[in-house]
């Protein structure tokens, strides 16, 4: 096969391409992305929408000397194809293969690691400032979506960039879509900018004019600039970016390669901060994108039709019970940070539009907004992925916990998430929430318990509560018809055992039941307790079992430092319980690579077999002496 793409081992190779070849290259990149990603699964829509921008950036700038900083990084598949990773592209998001996001350790062309939104302008500004200080004239190009621009930190960065006036090029890739349709006043504003035909035409005229008038002492440029300023204000009252100190170019058609190239060539030599507003179409070239609710933001690999239909996901069960509880109590309101579908809250929003808030990619604001709602007697449910709540830690501490406001946090993707990898694992939440005074933190053993827990959270008015559940299908258990409150801080003993007792958190309960069955074959009698609560702990039960059995094994899919196991150890120390052995099975103090969840669980020792083996070793190495045990 004689593809243009196969001639590109580094961006240098596309410098010699003529315009027809560049256009052909764009088509091939699209084809390659669609062909591969519909097989492997991954972020499709964003990368397809950014193909021409990617080719133009690599044509005009000299990466890696010039720094390209992607926001979120899910649109960088084309960039990976052009920067020496074409041969490994089919391994994307698979264990040992390419990451689905830019990673500094993966390539010198990935100038900044990313996957959470809104970081590009801050990182780019830092680089531009450092390069300037070192006397380098290397350029920094940040590419941020209209969704990413709803992040508070993107504005914090614009604010400083307009003030510092370093050379920084920001490309705003505006496709009007976040994961779902972008929302908010900023989105409306961008639409106004892009649908102001008079301004666009006049802008082009001024551009032309600038090219034609001989630059006599900068006078013509100055006049043209003044014309441009006044015309602009005629149509759009103050282009916000210009007010913030950026030179604003656009809107341009982000799929018109010639236009994009011309604009970037022009800007390459501009001084100070500039922003190019490129209008693109998310999912461009993928036939199913226009009818997809998310413009093909992400696609899953094809499923095996022979496989049994999976049980409904935890997300789905949560979304359903939220609606049920919303029907019962008009004070229940739901908040998402740009992820109505991902968090399962979209259906609640359709039924109760006035009680549903998509705040944009603004987790910090989401949390403090919820705090305000709680102050006035509403029952806000912040539905969020565990990994994204990290961004709002201070808001959780300062605005919610400190004032003990009854905000309900529901954290999806608690635990290892698979193909998205370390940027998306929800493994720190147990640690960062259990340390906070006033918080109740819980994890259900299955989707049925999840429903009771949400009911419990909304009934609890004394302070904030957090619930964490894993990505993916539930266990497949029956759902109780009647919801009930679970006593706060009460664990659930499930299986008796004389030699050792598992204290398991969330989905690890089932894993420990399987491990207990395996241990029985080795003559070890293992009990299992569904811990339910990370905070407050069931002191009485922990003390009693520590004293009667003498060996507790805590099992959690969260970081070991500061995790649930640490909490149990701290408690036993505080209670002065001696002669007890504690084995803590949790995630190691490292970032876990992307790959399939089953493989990740094997790697970290969280399969039933690994849990059983670890426990057997612990029991055999030093059995608890009979004398250390007291009757229950
Ligand atoms: C802090 C944070 N919150 C949520 C997400 C989940 N997320 C991934 S991509 C995305 C939408 C990004 O929209 P935009 O920047 O416009 O890029 P597009 O996908 O439209 O190209 C969201 C909300 C994230 N990556 N980071």
């Amino acid at each position: 096969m004689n593809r243009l793409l196969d001639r590109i081992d580094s961006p240098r190779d596309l410098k010699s391409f003529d315009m027809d070849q560049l256009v052909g290259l764009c088509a091939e990149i699209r084809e390659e992305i669609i062909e591969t990603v519909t097989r492997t699964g991954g972020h499709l829509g964003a990368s397809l929408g950014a193909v021409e921008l990617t080719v133009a950036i690599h044509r005009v700038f000299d990466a890696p000397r010039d720094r390209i900083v992607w926001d979120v990084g899910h649109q960088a598949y084309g960039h990976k194809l052009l920067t020496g990773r074409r041969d490994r592209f089919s391994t994307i998001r698979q264990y040992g293969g390419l990451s689905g996001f830019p990673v500094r350790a993966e390539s010198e062309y990935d100038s900044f690691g990313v996957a959470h939104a809104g970081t590009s302008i801050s990182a780019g500004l830092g680089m531009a400032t450092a390069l300037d200080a070192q006397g380098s004239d290397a350029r920094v190009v940040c590419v941020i979506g209209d969704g990413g621009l709803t992040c508070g930190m993107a504005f914090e960065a614009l604010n400083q960039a307009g003030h510092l006036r370093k050379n920084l090029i920001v490309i705003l890739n505006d496709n009007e879509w976040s994961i779902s349709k972008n929302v908010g006043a900023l989105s409306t504003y961008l639409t106004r900018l892009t649908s102001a035909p008079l301004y666009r035409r006049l802008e082009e005229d001024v551009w032309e004019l600038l090219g034609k008038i001989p630059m006599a002492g900068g006078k013509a440029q100055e006049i043209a600039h003044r014309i441009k300023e006044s015309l602009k204000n005629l149509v759009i009252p103050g282009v916000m970016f210009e007010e913030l100190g950026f030179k604003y170019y656009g809107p341009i058609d982000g799929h018109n390669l010639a236009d994009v190239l011309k604009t970037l060539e022009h800007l390459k030599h501009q001084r100070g901060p500039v922003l190019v507003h490129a209008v693109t179409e998310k999912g461009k070239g993928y036939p199913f994108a226009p009818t997809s609710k998310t413009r093909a933001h992400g696609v899953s690999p094809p499923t095996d039709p022979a496989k049994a239909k999976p049980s409904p996901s935890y997300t789905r069960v949560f979304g359903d019970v939220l609606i049920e509880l919303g029907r019962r109590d008009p004070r229940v309101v739901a908040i998402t940070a740009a992820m109505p579908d991902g968090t399962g809250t979209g259906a609640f929003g359709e039924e109760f539009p006035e009680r549903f808030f998509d705040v944009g990619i603004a987790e910090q604001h989401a949390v403090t907004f919820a705090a305000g709602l709680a102050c006035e007697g509403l029952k806000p449910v912040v539905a969020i992925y565990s990994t994204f709540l990290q961004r709002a830690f201070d808001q959780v501490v300062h605005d919610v916990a400190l004032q003990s406001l009854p905000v309900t946090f529901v954290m999806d993707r608690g635990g290892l998430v698979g193909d998205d990898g370390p940027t998306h694992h929800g493994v720190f939440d147990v640690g960062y929430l259990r340390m906070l005074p006033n918080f109740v933190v819980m994890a259900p053993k299955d989707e049925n318990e999840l429903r009771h827990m949400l009911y419990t959270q909304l009934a609890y008015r004394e302070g904030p509560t957090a619930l964490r559940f894993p990505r993916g299908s539930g266990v497949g258990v029956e759902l109780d018809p009647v919801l009930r409150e679970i006593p706060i801080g009460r664990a659930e003993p499930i299986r008796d055992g004389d030699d050792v007792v598992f204290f398991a958190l969330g989905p690890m309960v089932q894993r420990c039941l399987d491990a207990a069955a395996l241990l029985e074959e080795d003559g070890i009698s293992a009990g299992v307790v569904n811990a339910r609560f990370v905070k407050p702990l069931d002191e009485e039960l922990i003390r009693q079992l520590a004293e009667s059995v003498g060996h507790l094994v805590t099992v959690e899919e969260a970081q070991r430092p500061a995790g649930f196991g640490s909490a149990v150890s701290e408690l036993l120390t505080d209670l002065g319980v001696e002669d007890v052995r504690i084995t803590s099975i949790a995630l190691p103090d490292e970032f876990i690579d992307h790959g399939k969840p089953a493989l990740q669980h094997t790697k970290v020792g969280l399969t039933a077999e690994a849990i059983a083996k670890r426990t057997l070793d612990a029991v055999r190495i030093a059995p608890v002496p009979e004398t250390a045990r007291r009757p229950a």
Side-chain angles (χ1 to χ4, degrees):
M1 198 165 53
N2 216 355
R3 294 193 310 176
L4 293 158
L5 184 56
D6 294 326
R7 286 161 50 186
I8 307 232
D9 293 323
S10 88
R12 261 191 314 279
D13 297 325
L14 56 79
K15 305 280 183 203
S16 59
F17 280 15
D18 64 23
M19 189 52 114
D20 285 348
Q21 287 175 311
L22 289 174
V23 170
L25 179 66
C26 289
E28 289 180 7
I29 291 174
R30 263 200 185 94
E31 221 169 87
E32 176 76 29
I33 291 175
I34 293 173
E35 203 272 316
T36 304
V37 180
T38 50
R39 234 175 343 99
T40 60
H43 291 101
L44 185 64
S47 283
L48 290 177
V51 169
E52 285 79 11
L53 293 178
T54 306
V55 168
I57 291 168
H58 278 298
R59 165 70 167 223
V60 173
F61 296 93
D62 293 316
R65 182 178 184 275
D66 292 331
R67 317 295 199 241
I68 303 169
V69 188
W70 302 98
D71 205 88
V72 186
H74 61 325
Q75 76 289 59
Y77 292 4
H79 161 82
K80 294 204 178 206
L81 283 170
L82 296 177
T83 50
R85 286 170 274 184
R86 190 187 63 245
D87 291 347
R88 287 186 295 147
F89 191 61
S90 61
T91 68
I92 197 157
R93 289 162 58 88
Q94 291 159 60
Y95 185 73
L98 295 180
S99 164
F101 299 97
V103 176
R104 279 169 65 85
E106 187 180 290
S107 165
E108 60 178 337
Y109 291 93
D110 292 357
S111 59
F112 199 68
V114 62
H116 288 200
T119 60
S120 61
I121 309 176
S122 301
L125 182 61
M127 291 173 192
T129 304
L131 288 166
D132 185 42
Q134 291 157 25
S136 165
D137 63 352
R139 303 309 308 255
V140 181
V141 183
C142 308
V143 185
I144 184 166
D146 53 305
L149 201 64
T150 61
C151 291
M153 74 178 290
F155 275 86
E156 294 170 27
L158 286 176
N159 176 50
Q160 196 198 3
H163 168 70
L164 276 184
R165 309 213 55 75
K166 300 292 174 197
N167 298 333
L168 182 73
I169 297 170
V170 175
I171 300 179
L172 171 58
N173 174 17
D174 181 3
N175 56 25
E176 295 188 10
W177 242 260
S178 191
I179 290 184
S180 302
K181 183 90 172 132
N182 202 2
V183 291
L186 179 69
S187 169
T188 313
Y189 172 72
L190 293 179
T191 307
R192 273 181 65 207
L193 277 185
T194 53
S195 57
L198 179 61
Y199 171 50
R200 196 163 56 222
R201 189 168 53 75
L202 293 173
E203 268 282 74
E204 280 161 11
D205 293 347
V206 172
W207 186 288
E208 284 293 296
L209 194 69
L210 275 167
K212 280 179 192 146
I213 301 176
M215 296 295 150
K219 189 87 179 136
Q221 219 169 3
E222 193 194 311
I223 294 167
H225 181 69
R226 262 196 268 133
I227 298 171
K228 180 189 136 190
E229 283 298 307
S230 51
L231 290 176
K232 179 180 70 190
N233 290 328
L234 258 181
V235 186
I236 302 155
V239 173
M240 181 185 75
F241 303 105
E242 298 241 347
E243 303 296 330
L244 287 172
F246 276 71
K247 279 195 198 120
Y248 171 85
Y249 291 85
I252 61 168
D253 175 355
H255 298 303
N256 183 327
L257 192 60
D259 268 6
V260 180
L261 283 167
K262 185 172 114 183
T263 308
L264 294 185
E265 282 292 354
H266 177 74
L267 297 186
K268 191 176 177 179
H269 306 291
Q270 288 273 326
R271 316 300 300 165
V274 299
L275 184 137
V276 188
H277 188 172
V279 179
T280 61
E281 187 189 320
K282 193 160 182 172
K284 187 170 174 64
Y286 183 55
F288 303 107
T291 50
S292 147
K293 255 169 94 181
T294 61
R295 292 295 185 272
H297 179 83
V299 291
S300 307
T303 45
D304 179 356
K307 267 198 177 163
K309 205 166 166 278
S311 324
S313 67
Y314 279 92
T315 311
R316 175 69 200 267
V317 173
F318 158 66
D320 289 348
V321 71
L322 180 66
I323 293 180
E324 195 179 326
L325 293 168
R327 285 181 189 146
R328 290 188 200 181
D329 187 344
R331 290 172 297 172
V332 174
V333 296
I335 300 160
T336 176
M339 304 188 66
D341 292 319
T343 57
T345 50
F348 180 94
E350 277 163 30
E351 182 157 338
F352 306 108
E354 72 294 352
R355 285 157 56 189
F356 176 66
F357 303 96
D358 179 347
V359 300
I361 313 179
E363 288 80 6
Q364 298 156 302
H365 161 65
V367 171
T368 306
F369 175 62
L373 292 167
C375 284
E376 302 304 329
L378 292 187
K379 294 186 168 183
V381 176
V382 179
I384 194 163
Y385 286 9
S386 165
T387 188
F388 298 136
L389 188 59
Q390 287 164 199
R391 179 160 288 185
F393 183 60
D394 185 58
Q395 285 72 9
V396 170
V397 177
H398 176 271
D399 301 334
V400 176
L402 182 58
Q403 310 187 80
S404 205
L405 291 169
V407 174
T408 295
F409 291 93
V410 175
M411 298 181 294
D412 201 326
R413 273 52 168 184
L416 298 170
V417 296
D419 302 335
D420 276 335
T423 54
H424 281 60
H425 294 325
V427 292
F428 304 106
D429 50 5
V430 170
Y432 74 66
L433 289 176
R434 87 166 180 86
M435 70 163 89
L436 300 180
N438 299 333
F439 247 93
V440 171
V441 185
M442 48 186 126
K445 69 175 187 293
D446 57 37
E447 64 273 30
N448 185 42
E449 194 168 56
L450 180 163
R451 299 170 77 247
H452 297 308
M453 282 187 172
L454 184 67
Y455 181 73
T456 307
Q457 286 183 285
L458 288 167
Y460 183 77
R461 305 305 294 150
E462 287 164 41
T465 57
L467 163 66
R468 92 190 279 259
F469 56 78
R471 170 174 183 255
S473 310
V475 178
V477 292
E478 287 281 311
L479 302 181
D480 297 334
V482 179
L483 293 170
R484 61 168 190 278
E485 271 184 61
I486 294 176
I488 300 289
R490 190 76 56 79
E492 178 194 31
I494 296 184
R495 175 188 160 124
D496 290 333
D498 297 330
D499 298 318
V500 65
V501 182
F502 288 115
F503 263 82
L505 190 65
M508 291 301 114
V509 172
Q510 188 54 49
R511 220 51 75 79
C512 288
L513 285 168
D514 296 343
L518 292 172
L519 286 168
E520 205 170 311
E521 292 169 16
D522 285 300
I524 305 291
S525 163
V528 178
V529 172
N530 169 20
R532 280 183 175 155
F533 292 87
V534 172
K535 185 175 190 163
L537 289 173
D538 191 334
E539 274 190 35
E540 222 178 286
L541 186 70
I542 292 173
R543 178 205 286 269
Q544 184 210 316
L545 289 172
E547 290 180 345
S548 62
V549 180
H551 188 173
L552 306 186
V553 180
T554 61
V555 187
E556 65 194 301
E557 196 172 328
Q559 293 302 109
R560 187 167 187 275
F564 169 68
S566 307
V568 171
S569 299
E570 285 161 16
L571 174 72
L572 289 169
T573 307
D574 290 350
L575 293 175
V577 179
E578 289 164 6
D579 290 333
V580 58
R581 178 161 320 123
I582 303 166
T583 304
S584 159
I585 301 182
L587 297 175
D589 189 9
E590 60 192 64
F591 291 105
I592 309 299
D593 280 344
H594 60 278
K596 292 285 167 250
L599 187 65
Q600 288 170 336
H601 286 140
T602 306
K603 291 264 166 208
V604 299
L606 282 182
T607 59
E609 292 73 18
I611 293 168
K613 163 118 192 15
R614 193 62 210 280
T615 306
L616 191 62
D617 289 349
V619 170
R620 284 199 175 143
I621 285 167
V624 175
E626 219 28 71
T627 49
R629 293 184 179 144
R630 290 184 227 162

